[in-house]
Amino acid sequence: MRVVRSIPIRRSRRAWAALLVALALCLLAPTSASARGSDAPLLECTGTVKQTYTPGLHVLPRFVTYRGTIEYSNCVGDVEITSATYRETLEYFASCTANGGPSEATIRWNNGQASELKVVGVEADVVGNVQVFTSVGKVVSGRYSGHAVNIITALPKLSSLADCLTPSGLTEVQGSSTLTIVGL
C-alpha cells in the first residue's frame, strides 16, 4: 500500500499569496529610466533655428547649398549641459515643396564636448501658419553616442512660400526648435 503525503491547504495558499504579493511589489516598484531601458528623455533643449539656401529655393527643384544653425539655449535633464549649437551643411536638389532628407550634423555642447548625428528621417506637417519638421536619427559619436535623437523645427509657412516666387527665391528662414536625446 502506498502512502501519499499531502501538503496542508493552508500552507499552500499562504505560499501562493506571498508569492503573488512579492511579484506585485516587483512589478509596481518604481524604477529609474535607465533600469527600465525606457525611451525617457535624457536631455531636452529648446532654441532658435536659422536656415539659409544658396541659391534660394524656388517652386521647381534645383541644386542648392543648405546651411542650418540652431542655437539651443535652454537644456534640461543633464546637469552638465545647459546650451548647445547644432550645425549642418548639405548640397542637394531641393525646392520650396520638396526639401529635407537624410543628413549629418554636429552639436557642440556648452561643456566643450561634441556629438555627431545621423538624421535618417524627416516628416513635414502644416499646423496653421507653421511648417513643422520632425527629424529622427541617432547620435553616432561623441556625447550620448548610441542614443536616439528627435529634432522638431517649426518655421513660418506663409512668408516663406511667398519668397519662393521671387527671382532670388527663399534664401533664409528662421523659427524655433526642440532637441530631444532619448535614453537607450
Side-chain angles (χ1 to χ4, degrees):
M1 172 189 246
R2 207 166 154 205
V3 176
V4 177
R5 294 184 70 186
S6 65
I7 299 173
I9 293 177
R10 282 188 203 151
R11 185 178 286 170
S12 157
R13 283 187 183 159
R14 276 190 224 141
W16 279 108
L19 180 63
L20 289 175
V21 167
L23 181 60
L25 289 174
C26 288
L27 292 175
L28 297 175
T31 58
S32 69
S34 60
R36 289 193 311 262
S38 79
D39 58 357
L42 292 176
L43 180 73
E44 289 186 318
C45 301
T46 57
T48 57
V49 60
K50 179 180 178 182
Q51 299 176 344
T52 61
Y53 301 92
T54 307
L57 296 176
H58 283 144
V59 176
L60 296 175
R62 66 180 178 175
F63 195 77
V64 299
T65 299
Y66 161 81
R67 287 182 179 82
T69 302
I70 307 172
E71 296 292 339
Y72 291 110
S73 58
N74 184 23
C75 297
V76 294
D78 182 335
V79 295
E80 289 184 36
I81 303 300
T82 58
S83 63
T85 301
Y86 172 103
R87 293 189 196 284
E88 69 179 331
T89 300
L90 299 168
E91 293 181 335
Y92 63 116
F93 282 93
S95 71
C96 285
T97 57
N99 187 12
S103 67
E104 295 178 2
T106 301
I107 295 182
R108 300 252 178 240
W109 306 104
N110 63 282
N111 68 353
Q113 292 180 315
S115 296
E116 297 294 325
L117 309 179
K118 184 169 275 196
V119 178
V120 293
V122 177
E123 178 183 319
D125 293 307
V126 176
V127 180
N129 290 332
V130 176
Q131 291 177 305
V132 179
F133 297 90
T134 303
S135 305
V136 294
K138 187 174 186 178
V139 180
V140 293
S141 68
R143 189 176 186 93
Y144 308 113
S145 184
H147 291 269
V149 63
N150 185 23
I151 301 166
I152 299 173
T153 303
L155 303 170
K157 178 183 146 214
L158 293 179
S159 64
S160 63
L161 289 180
D163 291 340
C164 295
L165 302 173
T166 65
S168 61
L170 174 65
T171 58
E172 182 179 304
V173 65
Q174 296 183 23
S176 61
S177 180
T178 301
L179 166 78
T180 306
I181 304 289
V182 182
L184 295 173

